Amino acid sequence: MDQRALSRLAAPAVAALLALTTGCTGETVQGRPGASGVRDPYFPKAGNGGYQVEHYSLDLDYDPADGRLHATAVITARAEQGLSSFNLDLSGLQVEGVSVQGAGARFNRSGNELTVRPAEDLERGEVFRTEVDYSGRPKAVTDPDGSREGWIVTPGGKGAVGVGEPVGSMAWFPGNHHPSDKATYDITVTVPRGYEAVSNGELRSRTEEDDGRTVFAWHSAEPMASYLATVAVGKFAVTTGRTASGIPVYTAVSPGEAKASGAALARLPEMVEWGIGRFGPYPFSATGAIVLPAHSLGYALETQTRPVFPGAPDSEELVVHELAHQWFGDSVSPKSWKDMWLNEGFATYAQWLWTEDHGGPSAQEHFDAYLAGDTRVDAEAGSDWGAFPPAAPRSPKEISGSPVYGRGAMVLQRIRQEVGDAKFFALVRGWAADHRHGNASTADFTAYAEEKTGRDLTEVWDVWLYGKDSPKASKP
């Protein structure tokens, strides 16, 4: 019997002990409760205050046959204030026991909040270890725009995938689920033999157990926002290799999608090397892709080191888009969900650069096509890209709207028009390098762009980035 099973069996005893100690409130409280959200402008209850996570160790046991997850999360964090209690984001699932610094902790649930009360207050600056045993059938989460994330069972019920943008990761592990809190990860997944379990980073081991199960141990050494964490379980065909500069490539493709995926994925190593040339050093220790059965999701997602595709990617540009996110969104992550254009505008612009460098329309031609609504040059040129400022979506359901992508890319092209290629590409590479593995806001970018280029870009910001009116008449 493994330690995870022992921990689950011990949970009733821990609960009984906690019931006896719940009434002990006579000691002086040195800490105060951590906030139940970070007050993100669009998702105010996302994330939690009072601490920053340094590392997640997730031990997941999943059987597609019954859809049940048995798991233990060990969360290593640093207290940013004295804490009498703190919150973790967790949707659904049954919590069987919680300990902090090795001692049983009281806890309660309210909505998507798991409130933990350690046996002793945590001091400011203290590094503390929280262990949560939990289980159940994880569910999907519906976003404000109607799309589904969280834990998604793939068509036919023969696999599943965890995807988290913006807050769906709370459906399969407890944590501080806001992009401003990045951490390293170890994710171990146990599945029935014959299944593959694919996650972020590098595969440290793959072990066949005597009981007919397989254990996959994945390690992500670089910081990762929790919405970029993924686990995909399925009967994938796995291919490994390296890019020209030696970056390990790990792709897992649903067998039914292998033929249609072949051409685009064959160029993935080349795309990574191209990105290095355009954007600077690749920010992670591995790359690759996960291709799910068709119609598993309604979107592709830039999960760190291993983007997820809902069926075979239908174009090279889509693969380029998700790979470009490894620099812009994954390594340089947004400080809040209001800064989403820094992810999507850059990734869309990368598509424009890819076609510019490979015999297709130039970035300027894409820009002009948007202004003219010319869908012959760019299929997205007919979208409502001017509906709102890319830096100021009007509601949470618009953070993935057309202006965030297309008009966000147009902002970058306007900067290029103003400062010229040399300064523009120095800006792009500098932005990725100077904010590597960190977080940045729109204000950080505008200040950095003006400092790096030595130009006053007020007109670009006022008209293209923040202007409420469509800037179609503002072509220089």
Side-chain angles (χ1 to χ4, degrees), residues 267-427:
R267 299 195 74 177
L268 188 151
E270 174 191 351
M271 293 171 182
V272 172
E273 296 296 327
W274 171 83
I276 292 170
R278 277 299 196 186
F279 312 132
Y282 184 72
F284 304 112
S285 61
T287 189
I290 300 169
V291 180
L292 303 172
H295 312 300
S296 296
L297 299 170
Y299 51 85
L301 188 64
E302 63 271 18
T303 43
Q304 192 158 301
T305 69
R306 204 146 286 115
V308 170
F309 297 92
D314 58 9
S315 67
E316 290 179 4
E317 288 77 18
L318 177 58
V319 179
V320 167
H321 182 102
E322 305 306 336
L323 288 176
H325 275 307
Q326 305 308 304
W327 286 265
F328 308 110
D330 294 12
S331 176
V332 185
S333 299
K335 281 186 178 176
S336 83
W337 288 111
K338 191 174 184 179
D339 303 308
M340 185 75 155
W341 83 274
L342 289 171
N343 295 17
E344 302 300 349
F346 269 96
T348 301
Y349 196 74
Q351 295 177 242
W352 296 4
L353 291 177
W354 174 263
T355 61
E356 178 176 299
D357 290 349
H358 293 85
S362 66
Q364 184 63 48
E365 287 170 327
H366 282 283
F367 180 91
D368 292 340
Y370 268 72
L371 287 174
D374 188 351
T375 56
R376 295 169 301 174
V377 174
D378 192 311
E380 298 301 316
S383 66
D384 192 11
W385 59 267
F388 59 83
R394 295 168 295 197
S395 70
K397 69 180 181 180
E398 292 185 332
I399 64 170
S400 294
S402 295
V404 174
Y405 290 70
R407 188 165 160 185
M410 296 174 86
V411 169
L412 298 175
Q413 181 61 15
R414 281 292 294 115
I415 297 171
R416 186 179 177 184
Q417 290 169 348
E418 290 288 332
V419 305
D421 280 11
K423 288 186 176 181
F424 175 75
F425 287 108
L427 163 64

Side-chain angles (χ1 to χ4, degrees), residues 120-142:
E120 296 184 2
D121 286 2
L122 300 168
E123 297 181 0
R124 181 178 181 181
E126 181 177 354
V127 175
F128 63 99
R129 184 176 182 269
T130 304
E131 183 169 332
V132 182
D133 290 318
Y134 61 103
S135 64
R137 290 185 173 88
K139 305 294 185 182
V141 175
T142 301

Side-chain angles (χ1 to χ4, degrees), residues 14-24:
V14 171
L17 175 62
L18 295 178
L20 293 173
T21 61
T22 299
C24 299

Side-chain angles (χ1 to χ4, degrees), residues 1-18 72 96-99 104 107 131 133:
M1 186 176 292
D2 63 19
Q3 288 183 331
R4 182 177 57 255
L6 285 170
S7 181
R8 290 199 297 272
L9 289 173
V14 171
L17 175 62
L18 295 178
T72 297
E96 297 163 344
V98 180
S99 67
F107 62 91
E131 183 169 332
D133 290 318

